[in-house]
Amino acid sequence: MPPGEPSPPVSGAHVAPIQPALLDDPIAFLSAEHARQTVLLGHLERVARDPQGRAARDLAAVLLVWLTEEMPLHVADEERSLYPRLAAHDEQGVLERLREEHRRDHRLIADLVSGLRRIAEGHAPMAGFPEIAREFAAGHRRHLAIEESVLAPLARRCLGPEAMAALGAEMAARRDGRRV
Ligand SMILES: [Fe+2]
Ligand SMILES: [Fe+2]
C-alpha cells in the first residue's frame, strides 16, 4: 500500500451499537452493552500489545467513539437511573463500590483517550499507555462481572413493570439528546 494512503478497515473492528428497541427491557439493553464492552476491551488490549501495528489506527478510532461518546451515556444510565432505583435494596453495599470503580475508570479513560488520539493519527502513544490500557481492561472486566452477576439479578428481583418502564424511558431520552 503506498505511503499516506488510508489503510483498509480492519475486519471485526466495528462493533455495532445496541438497538434502542431493546429499551423495552432496559436490563437486557445494559447487558447487551456489557457484552459489547467486553469485545471492545479485547480491541483495547490488541492496541496495547502493538500500538503502531497495522490494525491499531482503525481500532483506536472505534475505541475513541466508545470511550468519549458511548461510555458517558452508559455510566449516566447506571448512576442516574438504575442505581438510585436499587439503593433501598442494596444490602451488600455494592453500589458504592461500583460508583468508585466508575471514578477510577474515568481517571484512566482521560489518559487512554490521549494515547488513542495519538495512535489514531498514526503516532506512537505516550510511555505507559500499554500499562494503563491493561489496568483499565482488567478493572473494567471485573466491574462488568459484578454488574452482571449481582446488579442485573437484583434489578430483575426488585424493579416492577412501572420502574422498568421509567428506567427505559430515561435511557431512551438520554439517547435522543434530552437531558435526564
Ligand atoms: Fe455497566
Ligand atoms: Fe458500571
Side-chain angles (χ1 to χ4, degrees), residues 8-107:
V10 178
S11 75
H14 181 70
V15 189
I18 308 304
Q19 291 302 312
L22 257 182
L23 281 169
D24 287 346
D25 183 343
I27 303 304
F29 183 95
L30 290 172
S31 288
E33 287 203 333
H34 290 161
R36 182 171 179 267
Q37 289 178 18
T38 301
V39 175
L40 289 160
L41 289 175
H43 286 350
L44 179 63
E45 287 171 321
R46 185 171 168 194
V47 172
R49 278 196 300 277
D50 190 5
Q52 293 193 280
R54 203 184 62 80
R57 284 182 75 163
D58 291 334
L59 291 173
V62 170
L63 289 162
L64 281 166
V65 172
W66 172 39
L67 293 173
T68 62
E69 297 176 24
E70 297 163 0
M71 191 70 123
L73 287 174
H74 183 89
V75 172
D77 289 340
E78 293 179 339
E79 293 212 358
R80 307 227 297 262
S81 298
L82 177 61
Y83 295 179
R85 290 185 166 89
L86 298 176
H89 310 281
D90 178 27
E91 286 159 13
Q92 298 180 50
V94 73
L95 295 176
E96 188 43 46
R97 173 183 173 168
L98 293 171
R99 282 198 172 92
E100 174 52 37
E101 291 176 350
H102 285 164
R103 290 192 283 272
R104 177 208 59 205
D105 279 358
H106 188 74
R107 290 191 293 271

Side-chain angles (χ1 to χ4, degrees), residues 150-161:
V150 179
L151 209 67
L154 185 69
R156 294 248 178 247
R157 277 199 306 278
C158 300
L159 301 184

Side-chain angles (χ1 to χ4, degrees), residues 105-162:
D105 279 358
H106 188 74
R107 290 191 293 271
L108 293 171
I109 285 170
D111 288 336
L112 283 179
V113 165
S114 312
L116 289 168
R117 286 210 171 106
R118 290 188 55 81
I119 294 167
E121 288 163 4
H123 304 298
M126 67 287 191
F129 174 84
E131 290 76 14
I132 294 167
R134 281 192 280 269
E135 181 185 349
F136 175 80
H140 196 63
R141 265 202 196 95
R142 286 194 295 273
H143 181 85
L144 294 177
I146 294 172
E147 289 188 333
E148 283 302 304
S149 65
V150 179
L151 209 67
L154 185 69
R156 294 248 178 247
R157 277 199 306 278
C158 300
L159 301 184
E162 278 183 27

